[in-house]
Amino acid sequence: MPRKGQPAGRLAMRVRLHHLGGVLTGAGAARGPLRDWAELGLQRDVELIIETDDAAEEARRSGADSTDSVMPRQGRICWIGPASSPERPASDISVDLGGRLLGHGLVDAHTHAVFAGDRAGELMRRLAGERYQDIAASGGGILHTVRATREASVEALTTDLLRRLDEMAAWGARVVEIKTGYGLDLASELRSLDAIAAAAAARPGLTLVATAMPAHAVPPEFQGDVDGYMEHVCAELLPALLAHPAAPRFVDVFVERGYFDVSHAGRLWQAAQVAATRAGRRVGLKAHVDEFERVGGLPWALEAGATSVEHLLASDATELQALCHSGTVAVALPLVSVFLQQPFAAMRAIVDGGGLLAVATDCNPGSAMSTNLMLAAQLAVFGGRLTPAEALRAVTRGGAQALGCPEGIDGTLRVDGPACLCAFDVEHPDALFYELGAPPRAQAVP
Ligand code: NIG
Ligand code: FE
């Protein structure tokens, strides 16, 4: 029977999640240091009741969505509290979590997961001493992947993307941002968005956030004419991408020597806003800044009101201070530091300075070939000197903030909030950081 107040055609079902090792609500401070799990909102001896619709619950039970941890994302949390509380609402079914830790699903706020081919050969060249930038300048790097991606069908791109998303989900990701940027021409960029839309339809338990990034590199047909390419991006690519049914919520730009400078970034951002308005949509700004060299990307992005700035390996302390005092989220990508043998972003200083910090994988074939966001969180601890609680906040709440809290997902578990949940196969969150390499631990509940 539909519950009172429930919209017609939507049957509410209340599911009680009990026998939990603990619930990591993430409801501590959004900024500043966190010493321990209690400060991040770890609660013991509590249960959760979530409300969902029968159809979604049925799909979960029949295993139709194998990546879904605990509940489909359509659910909402309607109660968190002790089992003995007289205020606990009635529920229709109960799920025993077997003492597992329940937390917010992880949010991977920066990936380039839609691409074809691989660049394993480049890894060998880099390990033999060649620099990432020099390999790129000789026609490898991003352009290598562009060639493979342009030849791939939507079906092939979708198959590869789904494999990566399933791996991400096994480590706990429930929300994943995916950038275009390996097409760099209209048809190929649109095919990348088609693949993201197809993957979203195939994995309803995941929330995918698309970002348009035609300003990732200058394609071969515009070699030596970065201004001409940017004109083409602004006039042709952005209007088409931002009108696509898989509506990108962000545009991103690689502000770096040899790629785009701040004047290109400014043109891109202006054109994106015009194109989004024409399409009746909103668009936010992200920017890759200070990955190798400091060329003014960070102050430009702050001035432009970017939702997030990514990489920050070569950032200067004064500019980082301005970032910490802003509403822009710093996105650290520690897997890139390991993969490219670079220093880590100043994660400790950003947290101590009161900045908003996310940690993401940057999953891509050239600078971070990994789908493991838990490993990125571990590296944020061992390389970035965060506490485990700060690192977990950065892959939940920080990630959600870096994506503008899509569908109300803000990285915390709260009454009336979305049931973006993950059951980790551990009893205590310490265990998530103990085994290096982060074995997959996020499981669907039977
Ligand atoms: O975030 N910096 C630009 N984009 C990616 C690398 C892409 C690639 O090498 O294919 C990054 O590091
Ligand atoms: Fe990136």
Side-chain angles (χ1 to χ4, degrees):
M1 285 292 291
R3 272 176 211 284
K4 217 169 139 218
Q6 191 65 26
R10 206 163 176 257
L11 301 178
M13 172 178 269
R14 282 191 175 158
V15 183
R16 172 176 158 246
L17 303 176
H18 69 107
H19 190 190
L20 313 176
V23 175
L24 205 45
T25 65
R31 296 174 183 258
L34 294 173
R35 276 165 309 183
D36 54 33
W37 297 112
E39 288 190 355
L40 186 61
L42 179 64
Q43 291 192 31
R44 295 294 198 165
D45 301 317
V46 293
E47 299 187 348
L48 247 85
I49 296 181
I50 58 185
E51 200 165 55
T52 183
D53 64 88
D54 294 85
E57 171 59 12
E58 193 45 49
R60 184 192 74 78
R61 294 178 135 240
S62 68
D65 177 11
S66 60
T67 67
D68 207 351
S69 303
V70 185
M71 289 303 299
R73 68 191 157 114
Q74 293 93 328
R76 296 197 80 71
I77 298 169
C78 57
W79 193 74
I80 305 176
S84 56
S85 166
E87 280 151 35
R88 193 185 74 187
S91 50
D92 302 298
I93 61 168
S94 295
V95 177
D96 182 337
L97 264 80
R100 280 180 236 167
L101 174 76
L102 189 72
H104 194 282
L106 305 189
V107 181
D108 196 340
H110 180 143
T111 87
H112 304 255
V114 59
F115 64 87
D118 74 80
R119 307 221 301 269
E122 268 179 28
L123 170 66
M124 296 308 143
R125 286 171 66 184
R126 280 198 293 100
L127 292 177
E130 269 186 89
R131 293 188 324 148
Y132 174 94
Q133 300 95 305
D134 297 334
I135 293 172
S138 69
I142 293 171
L143 294 186
H144 181 116
T145 306
V146 168
R147 287 191 287 277
T149 303
R150 285 181 172 183
E151 282 169 18
S153 64
V154 174
E155 292 69 31
L157 290 173
T158 307
T159 303
D160 284 357
L161 174 57
L162 284 174
R163 182 171 43 77
R164 292 177 196 123
L165 288 173
D166 289 345
E167 287 177 18
M168 290 173 182
W171 277 289
R174 298 294 313 276
V175 183
V176 181
E177 185 257 16
I178 307 168
K179 303 174 199 296
T180 72
Y182 289 115
L184 309 187
D185 62 26
L186 185 56
S188 313
E189 287 286 295
L190 288 173
R191 278 207 312 285
S192 300
L193 281 184
D194 289 341
I196 295 170
R203 296 291 182 272
L206 291 176
T207 297
L208 304 186
V209 175
T211 293
M213 199 176 179
H216 195 197
V218 177
E221 59 277 17
F222 282 91
Q223 198 188 6
D225 184 16
V226 54
D227 289 320
Y229 178 60
M230 189 47 78
E231 216 170 282
H232 177 61
V233 165
C234 294
E236 310 289 336
L237 270 59
L238 287 178
L241 291 172
L242 292 170
H244 187 281
R249 298 190 206 203
F250 296 96
V251 287
D252 199 338
V253 50
F254 190 13
V255 185
E256 188 69 46
R257 188 177 306 285
Y259 294 83
F260 302 96
D261 63 24
V262 292
S263 76
H264 300 124
R267 281 159 63 190
L268 174 102
W269 177 224
Q270 212 181 359
Q273 291 172 92
V274 171
T277 306
R278 286 214 179 111
R281 290 173 171 161
R282 290 164 69 93
V283 69
L285 174 66
K286 295 178 168 292
H288 285 56
V289 301
D290 301 344
E291 181 172 359
F292 299 107
E293 284 184 49
R294 194 162 64 91
V295 294
L298 178 51
W300 171 80
L302 291 180
E303 179 70 30
T307 303
S308 65
V309 284
E310 346 279 296
H311 286 292
L312 308 166
L313 299 186
S315 298
D316 138 286
T318 314
E319 292 180 4
L320 280 182
Q321 227 172 22
L323 169 59
C324 290
H325 295 138
S326 76
T328 298
V329 182
V331 181
L333 305 163
L335 291 163
V336 175
S337 298
V338 172
F339 207 67
L340 297 187
Q341 298 173 296
Q342 300 284 321
F344 289 95
M347 291 176 250
R348 182 72 260 151
I350 292 170
V351 170
D352 288 341
L356 295 170
L357 178 73
V359 166
T361 59
D362 199 7
C363 174
N364 77 78
S367 70
M369 192 54 254
S370 174
T371 50
N372 190 339
L373 185 55
M374 265 318 301
L375 176 60
Q378 290 185 335
L379 292 174
V381 170
F382 296 105
R385 304 210 161 271
L386 298 189
T387 65
E390 290 161 350
L392 208 60
R393 176 178 64 183
V395 293
T396 49
R397 200 161 177 183
Q401 287 160 330
L403 297 180
C405 298
E407 294 164 22
I409 294 171
D410 68 358
T412 69
L413 301 184
R414 61 195 156 81
V415 171
D416 279 339
C420 182
L421 302 173
C422 200
F424 292 99
D425 202 9
V426 297
E427 285 181 12
H428 192 279
D430 284 353
L432 294 173
F433 290 84
Y434 175 58
E435 282 182 67
L436 285 180
R441 299 175 182 285
Q443 295 180 354
V445 173

